[in-house]
């Protein structure tokens, strides 16, 4: 964990994306998760198998006014529109405010105004591409690249002569997440799909957070069929394990993957199929590309840099110098 450069802050937030929240809480501050009885979606606490640290706390969403915080960190438009007005007191709404935006615009790709624009909130984007596409108005903006952790000792083996795809609810989410691309490619190349509700598309179902890295390590390559989304944590986790990445040359992935070095990206599906077949037939090439992908991940997406970036932004926004 990063060495604190400032006083320890009390950050009110919500559990939206479990893995991201776990990585976020590696920053040297205390995080308070707004929860409701039964942990319904949108107000989940420290659930699941992730090894939450002692700096992660639960606080009743209907009693937030009875607690003291140093800043509020929104992670979803739902909480921005609903909880901010119905559950936060005026005093809490006046606290230094941040909004971490996990996705590119879901409306018009260039002309969608961010919900927190013009509010005085500090918007944090998880990729430069997302920051470019959103209309942030005059809001202060930071970009914090992802940082990930994988279980100790998990490394690429690649013995399975097939690729792996990791997408939750792929069939339901359709073209934007590349359901049609996945179907087209798996008619030509052996692919395995894992993720929530993947059984409906002939996949293996959901693999637990702590088991996913080891599961991915067995496959020859990682295929990302997604047309338009943020840079997925599963992609970065696969890189950290040592898998070469094959994907569509869209959004932030084009700044991460170097063709013929750590993977291959293109907008031509037939070209991607050719490269996948090559990796299946040339395991040594796959291993070499995968090791380069791991080095990219270690340099750009290491957890120490991520925690330090969040420490700096939270401190800059919420104050608290010693």
């Amino acid at each position: 964990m990063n060495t604190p450069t400032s006083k320890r802050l009390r950050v009110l937030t919500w559990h939206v994306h479990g893995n991201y929240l776990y990585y976020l809480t590696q920053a040297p501050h205390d995080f308070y998760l707004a929860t409701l009885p039964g942990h319904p979606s949108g107000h989940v606490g420290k659930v699941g198998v992730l090894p939450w640290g002692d700096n992660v706390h639960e606080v009743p969403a209907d009693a937030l006014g009875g607690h003291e915080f140093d800043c509020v960190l929104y992670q979803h438009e739902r909480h921005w529109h609903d909880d901010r007005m119905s559950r936060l007191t005026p005093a809490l709404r006046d606290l230094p405010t941040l909004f971490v935006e996990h996705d590119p615009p879901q409306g018009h790709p260039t002309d969608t105004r961010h919900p927190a624009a013009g509010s005085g909130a500090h918007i944090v984007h998880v990729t430069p591409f997302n920051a470019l596409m959103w209309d942030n108005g005059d809001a202060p903006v930071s970009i914090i690249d992802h940082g990930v952790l994988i279980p100790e000792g998990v490394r690429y083996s690649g013995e399975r002569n097939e690729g792996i795809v990791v997408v939750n609810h792929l069939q339901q989410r359709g073209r934007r997440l590349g359901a049609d691309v996945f179907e087209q490619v798996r008619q030509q190349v052996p692919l395995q799909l894992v993720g929530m509700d993947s059984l409906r598309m002939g996949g293996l179902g959901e693999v637990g957070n702590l088991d996913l890295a080891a599961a991915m390590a067995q496959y020859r390559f990682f295929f990302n069929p997604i047309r338009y989304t943020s840079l997925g944590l599963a992609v970065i986790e696969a890189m950290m394990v040592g898998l070469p990445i094959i994907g569509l040359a869209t959004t932030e992935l084009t700044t991460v993957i170097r063709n013929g070095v750590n993977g291959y990206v293109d907008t031509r599906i037939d070209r991607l199929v050719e490269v996948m077949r090559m990796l299946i037939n040339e395991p040594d090439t796959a291993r070499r590309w995968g090791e380069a992908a791991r080095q990219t991940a270690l340099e750009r997406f290491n957890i120490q840099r991520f925690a330090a970036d969040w420490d700096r932004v939270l401190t800059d926004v919420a104050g608290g110098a010693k």
Side-chain angles (χ1 to χ4, degrees):
M1 185 173 290
N2 185 48
T3 301
T5 59
S6 58
K7 84 170 188 180
R8 199 170 185 87
L9 298 172
R10 297 161 296 183
V11 182
L12 171 62
T13 192
W14 288 258
H15 181 149
V16 175
H17 299 292
N19 278 24
Y20 188 90
L21 179 63
Y22 174 64
Y23 299 144
L24 171 64
T25 59
Q26 304 308 301
H29 300 285
D30 285 293
F31 295 85
Y32 293 81
L33 311 181
T35 63
L36 289 174
H39 290 150
S41 176
H43 294 90
V44 177
K46 298 194 297 181
V47 299
V49 298
L50 289 168
W52 303 105
D54 293 338
N55 65 327
V56 184
H57 318 274
E58 294 186 357
V59 58
D62 290 327
L64 297 176
H67 298 264
E68 293 187 358
F69 307 103
D70 296 299
C71 62
V72 182
L73 173 60
Y74 296 91
Q75 301 198 53
H76 196 279
E77 189 172 346
R78 169 183 174 183
H79 302 124
W80 176 259
H81 290 308
D82 297 341
D83 283 42
R84 181 169 63 101
M85 303 309 299
S86 64
R87 292 190 166 95
L88 268 64
T89 63
L92 292 179
R93 290 198 292 271
D94 286 341
L95 287 175
T97 300
L98 304 95
F99 191 123
V100 55
E101 177 54 66
H102 293 282
D103 296 298
Q106 300 300 294
H108 192 284
T110 63
D111 296 343
T112 301
R113 190 167 176 84
H114 195 276
S119 69
H122 189 110
I123 301 175
V124 180
H125 288 289
V126 299
T127 71
F129 177 86
N130 293 3
L132 175 70
M133 302 307 285
W134 277 103
D135 175 2
N136 300 296
D138 60 358
V141 171
S142 294
I143 300 168
I144 299 181
D145 266 339
H146 288 310
V148 304
L149 285 165
I150 61 169
E152 190 71 27
V154 176
R155 293 293 181 271
Y156 177 75
S157 56
E159 70 270 19
R160 298 182 68 107
N161 295 326
E162 54 187 334
I164 186 167
V165 176
V166 181
V167 183
N168 290 326
H169 303 288
L170 179 56
Q171 186 176 73
Q172 174 185 331
R173 297 162 81 183
R175 280 181 54 84
R176 185 171 67 84
L177 274 291
D180 62 312
V181 174
F182 169 73
E183 291 283 16
Q184 178 183 346
V185 172
R186 77 167 168 181
Q187 300 302 316
Q188 306 171 71
V189 179
L191 294 176
Q192 190 56 261
L193 174 67
V194 303
M196 297 177 186
D197 203 32
S198 62
L199 291 172
R200 284 209 294 171
M201 297 187 73
L204 295 178
E206 184 178 5
V207 176
N209 293 6
L210 299 181
D211 300 321
L212 182 59
M216 292 191 297
Q218 306 171 55
Y219 291 83
R220 188 62 51 81
F221 59 85
F222 184 103
F223 175 47
N224 187 53
I226 301 176
R227 283 184 172 88
Y228 184 72
T229 189
S230 198
L231 184 61
L233 286 173
V235 174
I236 301 169
E237 290 160 352
M239 293 176 69
M240 197 69 80
V241 170
L243 276 80
I245 306 299
I246 310 299
L248 299 180
T250 59
T251 68
E252 194 65 29
L253 195 61
T254 59
T255 74
V256 177
I257 300 306
R258 295 168 57 202
N259 285 355
V261 177
N262 58 5
Y264 203 95
V265 294
D266 207 305
T267 53
R268 298 167 295 180
I269 305 300
D270 58 343
R271 179 57 182 146
L272 295 181
V273 167
E274 290 175 6
V275 174
M276 292 183 216
R277 287 173 172 166
M278 182 269 290
L279 292 178
I280 288 174
N281 293 324
E282 299 180 18
D284 289 343
T285 301
R287 184 174 294 277
R288 185 172 66 253
W289 287 13
E291 182 54 35
R294 175 170 159 75
Q295 291 305 312
T296 300
L298 288 170
E299 293 167 8
R300 182 167 173 180
F301 303 114
N302 68 81
I303 197 67
Q304 292 79 18
R305 189 273 310 153
F306 178 76
D309 284 354
W310 265 111
D311 180 27
R312 184 184 65 255
V313 170
L314 287 169
T315 297
D316 287 348
V317 174
K322 286 183 177 178

